[in-house]
Amino acid sequence: MLLKIKKRSDVCSSEITPEPVYHERRRFIQQTGRFALAGLGLALAGCSQEGEAVSKSPRIDSIPSPEGPDWLKQKVAGFKPKVYTTTESFTPYKDVTTYNNFYEFGTGKGDPASNAHTLITDPWSVVIEGEVAKPGRYSLEDILKPHTMEERIYRLRCVEAWSMVIPWIGIPLAEILKRFEPTSKARFVEFTTLYDPEQMSGQKASFGSLDWPYVESLRIDEAMNPLTLMATGLYGDVLPNQNGAPFRLVVPWKYGFKSIKSIVKIRLTEQQPKTTWETLAPEEYGFYANVNPTVDHPRWSQKHERRLPGTLLSPNRIKTRLFNGYAEEVADLYKGIDLSRFY
Ligand SMILES: Nc1nc2c(c(=O)[nH]1)N[C@H]1C(S)=C(S)[C@@H](COP(=O)(O)O)O[C@H]1N2
Ligand SMILES: [Mo]
């Protein structure tokens, strides 16, 4: 849906940073036009240039809104803003949704955006099994129903040394898991992506790719950390398929490959699960995969990263931070652990 602002004096694109525009747009939607621009006018008082800000903000460009069932669109739209945030600029919507890793749709960065339209995300159900008192197959709607969506603005640091800042919408994994009552034997949480080569063309590739289905895992205390999110949206809307619709994990202090997409199974286990990337190349991708500038990948340095968007001439190179800058929230989880051994 495209929203137009009536009075051009209300806003001017030159003064608008992506983040406030995006938030004001949401308020605009919520208030269905009535008094909607009061906050915006305040923030931008004195602006006199021509305004097309809303249509030029990163989210409200010509990119159509992703598809999704009405109930999920409404659920996501009711999010509580900025439950966790940062002062950094957001990576524009276009970059977040066209520069992806989702090998189920190909290994090129543009492949998921081109190919993921074949993924059917509704109806969607998730099997919850293993060490829980209430195992079963649950519809996504039932899983989400009792929870309020939260906006969490997180850095995402890929092991390939690029990063983004993404306004996710989701629910803390801990809140979801508690409802299924993990037993005292539950020490790990294992997540599995859909396996369906008819919908996921990259799963047909017989070599040079991954073992399907994609599997990831966290220790139970990592899973229960308040930062760990099950995302169903970004930029105020449902997830585009290429970003792991309709339900994906986001673990902001770990390399991006832990943040598994399009999840159909969550299993609680006593033994540490075998995960996809660790199985493929254990010396390169560990189970922990905590972002750490002092532990290099065997084939490249992890000291710096490219914050997207950047260009060849201006790569926007920044220093990588321990735990991706979330040490205050998560360092305690790894007390007494040798991070160079448990990478
Ligand atoms: N199922 C699945 N999940 C996945 C991947 C994948 O190939 N398949 N790639 C991972 C990697 S390497 C990264 S960096 C993030 C990228 O998420 P984004 O495309 O939403 O930015 O997804 C992760 N989750
Ligand atoms: Mo990644």
Side-chain angles (χ1 to χ4, degrees), residues 91-331:
T91 299
Y93 187 76
K94 184 159 189 293
D95 300 86
V96 172
T97 58
T98 58
Y99 189 94
N100 300 100
N101 277 332
F102 199 171
Y103 278 26
E104 284 83 341
F105 296 103
T107 53
K109 291 289 179 279
D111 291 345
S114 307
N115 302 331
H117 59 273
T118 55
L119 175 65
I120 300 164
T121 59
D122 177 54
W124 193 270
S125 62
V126 181
V127 171
I128 304 198
E129 61 179 34
E131 294 297 338
V132 283
K134 295 179 170 171
R137 175 185 288 276
Y138 297 89
S139 72
L140 183 60
E141 196 170 0
D142 284 342
I143 291 174
L144 303 179
K145 200 170 275 164
H147 306 282
T148 302
M149 292 285 167
E150 297 180 8
E151 181 182 50
R152 303 286 192 104
I153 298 144
Y154 286 159
R155 294 175 287 278
L156 173 81
R157 170 54 155 90
C158 177
V159 72
E160 298 162 343
W162 53 264
S163 64
M164 301 191 186
V165 176
I166 304 177
W168 301 105
I169 311 277
I171 297 163
L173 174 60
E175 287 184 20
I176 294 176
L177 286 182
K178 280 174 199 155
R179 283 174 44 218
F180 301 97
E181 299 174 14
T183 72
S184 56
K185 285 188 186 160
R187 294 178 56 233
F188 295 91
V189 186
E190 178 197 81
F191 307 85
T192 306
T193 295
L194 176 70
Y195 175 70
D196 185 349
E198 290 310 309
Q199 293 185 54
M200 298 179 137
S201 51
Q203 290 177 334
K204 288 178 181 162
S206 50
F207 60 90
S209 205
L210 302 175
D211 267 343
W212 312 112
Y214 195 105
V215 172
E216 256 312 330
S217 174
L218 298 171
R219 247 172 32 193
I220 190 86
D221 56 346
E222 297 175 323
M224 293 296 185
N225 185 277
L227 283 182
T228 306
L229 195 71
M230 294 306 304
T232 55
L234 55 81
Y235 269 104
D237 208 335
V238 295
L239 288 171
N241 287 359
Q242 59 267 34
N243 292 90
F247 191 54
R248 58 119 17 121
L249 182 68
V250 179
V251 194
W253 72 94
K254 292 179 179 282
Y255 291 122
F257 67 85
K258 299 296 287 185
S259 293
I260 178 174
K261 298 175 168 180
S262 305
I263 292 166
V264 294
K265 188 162 79 181
I266 299 178
R267 189 165 69 100
L268 285 89
T269 68
E270 194 168 6
Q271 304 300 322
Q272 182 173 313
K274 293 262 173 283
T275 57
T276 298
W277 282 100
E278 193 198 7
T279 306
L280 183 78
E283 61 297 323
E284 301 194 5
Y285 310 102
F287 178 86
Y288 282 92
N290 291 318
V291 176
N292 191 336
T294 68
V295 178
D296 285 338
H297 185 280
R299 291 182 281 133
W300 59 84
S301 163
Q302 293 291 24
K303 287 186 179 56
H304 294 87
E305 64 200 56
R306 284 182 299 124
R307 173 61 52 83
L308 300 181
T311 61
L312 268 183
L313 290 177
S314 169
N316 206 11
R317 194 164 171 267
I318 60 173
K319 278 192 171 155
T320 290
R321 296 158 71 190
L322 181 61
F323 301 120
N324 203 22
Y326 300 101
E328 206 177 297
E329 288 92 340
V330 302

